Amino acid sequence: MPEIAIRMTKRNHNAFVHLLGALESQGFDLDELLITKDFSEILKARPKVVLYSFFTEGIWGDLPREVQLLKERGTLLVAGGYHAIAMPRHTLKMGFDITVIGEGEEVLYKLLKTLKKTGYRITRELASIRGLAFYLNGEFTFTGFAKVEDFWRFPPYPESIRLISPIEISRGCPFRCYYCQTPYIKGFRMRHRPIGQVVRYSRRMRDMRYITPNAFAYGSPGAILKLDKLEALLKALQPLRKEGRRLFYGTFPSEVRPEFVLPETLELLIDYADNRRLAIGAQSGDDAMLKAMHRLHKVEHVERAVEYMVEYGFEPIVDFIVGLPGESEESQGKSIELMKWIMRKGGKVRAHYFMPLPGTPWARCKPSPLSEEMKKFLGRMAAKGKIEGSWGIQIELSRRLQKLIEEFYEEPTSYHGRINEPC
């Protein structure tokens, strides 16, 4: 039986597919791995090490029970993902033995090769691998933040097994929104997978979908539009569309920033893509709140984007965050008015409740209570099917996050070092 197991889930599927591609490209034999979404398979196989990856909101589900069962069997547990990066000490306290800190393509390969050589034990050899945190002889050891500037050196999925996910074509974000983990873990400059690779790897997909924080910023450092680069990418994918594949660009699992929604970018989608929905992040209807969260766009950009989308036949899907730190009833009222305006235009709204995520500048900030007007509006619109989102569930999750950070706060690791915390 394999000595190493990968605990796949719906939430970590994309990350592990990419990491498996990276392992394989470095010469790791994937036949040595048990890759499964069935935890009972892992218990039955009794591997010596199990790999996990999870977001912070995942720590309250089945994870604690699984960790306990595996620890009782003497299994070595390795954690990656946003929670392990932002809160490595807490992750180790949960029962994990090693956390992977940063971009994992190279770290994971070195870690597994070293563990195999040392009999799956924590030894001094691990201290030479950048991107790990663990306890060695009772002392917390952090070997530094792992960076992979040229992430495109690694394929987005493995060739030897039939696993596929949307392809990460860009990594990093320059806008540094205070509520978002992406720029602080992936860096402030966008890096892009070359067009030739995107085309080659897209051949395996029936529906071509991509992971990027801002789909229209392809080919640029992130804050500006490089229309020629964007068109070159979309144009290069056209032979695959002619073979019967569909191209979805700027929608799930990606989005675009509102100021990048222009007639020229929409015309490219009309010519080269199949989707007629486009997801943008508005986040608030109040310019003061947009400035406070470091969004670096204004309400007018959202309104203009929606107007352009409607004009060109696209359905706008617009995200809002409610309960933002420092958000007044007046600010919430402005968001309600913008939401109403978007709905009148034929767009859809997705509402989310503010969650203080570890590893962000707003990690220790408190959400603002929802006004009665906001509560009634969200409930009424949800009943009519005009607003989507999980803000109700996220209110309780936000409380749990606040309590976690109050009890176990630790200085977060990040791509660029110390994170400025305004709260």
Side-chain angles (χ1 to χ4, degrees), residues 195-209:
I195 290 175
Q197 280 194 20
V198 177
V199 174
R200 174 156 55 95
Y201 293 128
S202 295
R203 295 184 190 280
R204 189 184 281 190
M205 294 189 286
R206 175 181 293 178
D207 287 346
M208 297 180 285
R209 296 182 185 271

Side-chain angles (χ1 to χ4, degrees), residues 324-338:
L324 291 160
E327 186 178 52
S328 65
E329 287 193 18
E330 181 184 0
S331 293
Q332 292 184 17
K334 291 180 179 180
S335 288
I336 289 171
E337 291 307 309
L338 182 57

Side-chain angles (χ1 to χ4, degrees), residues 32-85:
E32 296 182 26
L33 305 175
L34 169 61
I35 305 165
T36 181
K37 291 182 179 179
D38 185 348
F39 181 66
S40 64
E41 268 194 81
I42 295 176
L43 288 179
K44 184 178 179 181
R46 302 185 72 91
K48 293 185 177 179
V49 59
V50 179
L51 309 181
Y52 278 81
S53 178
F54 49 90
F55 297 93
T56 300
E57 55 263 39
I59 69 174
W60 292 290
D62 294 330
L63 187 60
R65 181 184 64 86
E66 293 186 12
V67 168
Q68 180 183 354
L69 289 173
L70 291 170
K71 295 304 291 181
E72 288 171 356
R73 288 161 171 76
T75 310
L76 187 79
L77 300 181
V78 178
Y82 278 12
H83 185 75
I85 294 171

Side-chain angles (χ1 to χ4, degrees), residues 143-325:
T143 66
F145 195 98
K147 301 179 183 181
V148 182
E149 289 289 339
D150 47 354
F151 75 95
W152 56 86
R153 284 192 293 115
F154 304 102
Y157 52 74
E159 295 287 352
S160 63
I161 52 179
R162 296 299 297 178
L163 280 175
I164 193 68
S165 71
I167 295 172
E168 184 183 28
I169 60 171
S170 302
R171 184 178 287 186
C173 179
F175 293 98
R176 314 181 195 189
C177 300
Y178 286 172
Y179 58 86
C180 180
Q181 292 172 313
T182 295
Y184 303 97
I185 289 177
K186 301 291 182 70
F188 298 155
R189 178 177 55 84
M190 285 187 82
R191 297 160 278 156
H192 307 279
R193 191 178 291 278
I195 290 175
Q197 280 194 20
V198 177
V199 174
R200 174 156 55 95
Y201 293 128
S202 295
R203 295 184 190 280
R204 189 184 281 190
M205 294 189 286
R206 175 181 293 178
D207 287 346
M208 297 180 285
R209 296 182 185 271
Y210 303 99
I211 298 172
T212 168
N214 181 13
F216 285 165
Y218 180 82
S220 90
I224 57 175
L225 173 65
K226 293 275 190 179
L227 195 65
D228 57 333
K229 301 285 188 182
L230 177 61
E231 182 172 16
L233 170 64
L234 297 176
K235 193 172 183 179
L237 292 165
Q238 296 315 294
L240 299 184
R241 287 182 76 209
K242 291 177 181 177
E243 294 175 3
R245 297 173 182 84
R246 296 186 300 172
L247 173 58
F248 293 88
Y249 198 81
T251 187
F252 182 81
S254 299
E255 67 173 24
V256 297
R257 284 181 59 90
E259 68 269 36
F260 283 71
V261 179
L262 301 167
E264 48 266 41
T265 52
L266 294 174
E267 286 168 4
L268 288 182
L269 292 191
I270 290 171
D271 290 341
Y272 297 126
D274 292 286
N275 56 295
R276 292 299 176 263
R277 305 177 92 206
L278 202 57
I280 66 170
Q283 315 309 2
S284 176
D286 183 5
D287 280 333
M289 287 308 308
L290 291 173
K291 183 177 181 181
M293 71 176 84
H294 211 257
R295 274 296 288 178
L296 302 184
H297 68 73
K298 295 184 176 181
V299 172
E300 66 184 71
H301 294 111
V302 177
E303 294 172 335
R304 185 183 68 182
V306 170
E307 294 274 17
Y308 282 146
M309 281 189 270
V310 172
E311 179 183 348
Y312 280 83
F314 287 83
E315 180 185 21
I317 311 297
V318 188
D319 286 293
F320 283 81
I321 304 173
V322 298
L324 291 160

